[in-house]
Amino acid sequence: MNMIAKVVGLVILSVGLCFLFLYVAKAEKYTESEKYVDDKFNQLITRITDAFDIKLLSVKFCLDIVIACMLLLFYQNTFLDSLNTMVLVNALFVITLYDLKYHIIPNRALITLLGIKVIVVLLTIFTAKEISALFILIDMLIAGLAFLLIGVVCRFMNKNAIGMGDVKLLSVIGIVLGVNDSFHMVITGMVCIFFVSVIGLFLKKLTRDSELPLAPFIFVGLIISAISMGV
């Protein structure tokens, strides 16, 4: 399979994955939390997510093309490694929309993400003989448990610092990406949160009591990491 065909195939799969995660997430029931209604920042986000339409999907499609080209053509990742990244991109894209609007991480989206990861791992093991199945499993488990532990400790120290949905999200990301890539991505996301918080406080769009959704910043961290490091 030549590289152009791989890029086209990856983009087509990405579009399908996007609609899959949208369908799965939509199957859950959500209610908007009253605690966020009076927050100016969250009112702005609500207007953006309410305007979700073909324009946003078009932007997402262009992003798919850029990421697919970077992963396959520039970094020359394998097709399955690139597919693994695109699966997470689409999952986080949908999760971000719901986290922005409802401040909830869709459980069904996380379960679907794990299910697809299992398929990708099995394909990787069967097609890449030089890769040890035991190494892949250990890498996944270490990253997943590490993020789970970090999230639980943060929540124990301050319940408002991170929600249980965010803890589950970070743990699943660790499983999907492994130790190195997941830590790069999450650290990038945390840097984004820091700058947005500082700017928001300076412009008085945020207060010290404002609660920012985590998923959007993790999504941005993934995009930056995929384009700049080939995660």
Side-chain angles (χ1 to χ4, degrees):
M1 185 187 299
N2 61 53
M3 297 307 294
I4 300 300
K6 287 183 179 181
V7 171
V8 173
L10 188 60
V11 171
I12 292 174
L13 284 173
S14 181
V15 172
L17 287 166
C18 182
F19 282 104
L20 171 63
F21 282 110
L22 283 171
Y23 174 79
V24 168
K26 191 176 181 180
E28 292 193 35
K29 302 296 182 181
Y30 307 96
T31 55
E32 294 188 60
S33 177
E34 294 181 359
K35 66 185 288 187
Y36 299 107
V37 172
D38 295 328
D39 192 303
K40 293 180 180 179
F41 178 78
N42 285 285
Q43 287 176 350
L44 172 63
I45 291 301
T46 298
R47 288 198 293 271
I48 295 174
T49 53
D50 284 344
F52 174 74
D53 56 13
I54 192 65
K55 294 179 181 178
L56 189 55
L57 282 177
S58 299
V59 173
K60 168 62 172 52
F61 178 70
C62 294
L63 188 62
D64 287 344
I65 296 174
V66 172
I67 295 175
C69 289
M70 291 297 294
L71 294 177
L72 290 171
L73 301 181
F74 185 78
Y75 293 105
Q76 296 186 340
N77 291 355
T78 66
F79 185 82
L80 286 176
D81 283 342
S82 301
L83 177 60
N84 188 64
T85 299
M86 295 304 285
V87 170
L88 187 56
V89 166
N90 285 280
L92 280 177
F93 172 72
V94 174
I95 290 171
T96 290
L97 294 177
Y98 281 86
D99 197 18
L100 286 171
K101 186 172 179 60
Y102 302 107
H103 289 260
I104 288 175
I105 306 297
N107 289 321
R108 295 186 184 186
L110 294 179
I111 294 171
T112 303
L113 176 58
L114 286 175
I116 297 175
K117 174 61 179 180
V118 171
I119 296 173
V120 173
V121 168
L122 290 176
L123 289 173
T124 302
I125 292 172
F126 287 125
T127 58
K129 302 299 183 181
E130 70 277 6
I131 298 178
S132 168
L134 181 60
F135 172 80
I136 294 175
L137 291 175
I138 291 176
D139 189 47
M140 291 166 54
L141 288 175
I142 290 176
L145 290 173
F147 278 117
L148 179 63
L149 179 61
I150 292 172
V152 169
V153 170
C154 290
R155 185 165 174 79
F156 177 78
M157 296 176 63
N158 183 358
K159 288 186 177 181
N160 294 324
I162 187 172
M164 279 308 300
D166 296 327
V167 175
K168 290 184 288 185
L169 174 62
L170 290 175
S171 182
V172 170
I173 287 173
I175 293 173
V176 171
L177 288 183
V179 176
N180 290 332
D181 290 344
S182 59
F183 272 93
H184 280 305
M185 187 196 75
V186 171
I187 289 174
T188 304
M190 294 301 106
V191 172
C192 293
I193 290 179
F194 172 77
F195 280 110
V196 169
S197 299
V198 170
I199 294 172
L201 289 171
F202 179 77
L203 297 176
K204 297 184 179 179
K205 297 294 184 180
L206 295 174
T207 67
R208 293 182 181 275
D209 296 325
S210 295
E211 297 183 18
L212 296 176
L214 179 64
F217 297 99
I218 298 299
F219 177 63
V220 173
L222 174 59
I223 300 303
I224 293 174
S225 298
I227 294 175
S228 63
M229 295 183 290
V231 167

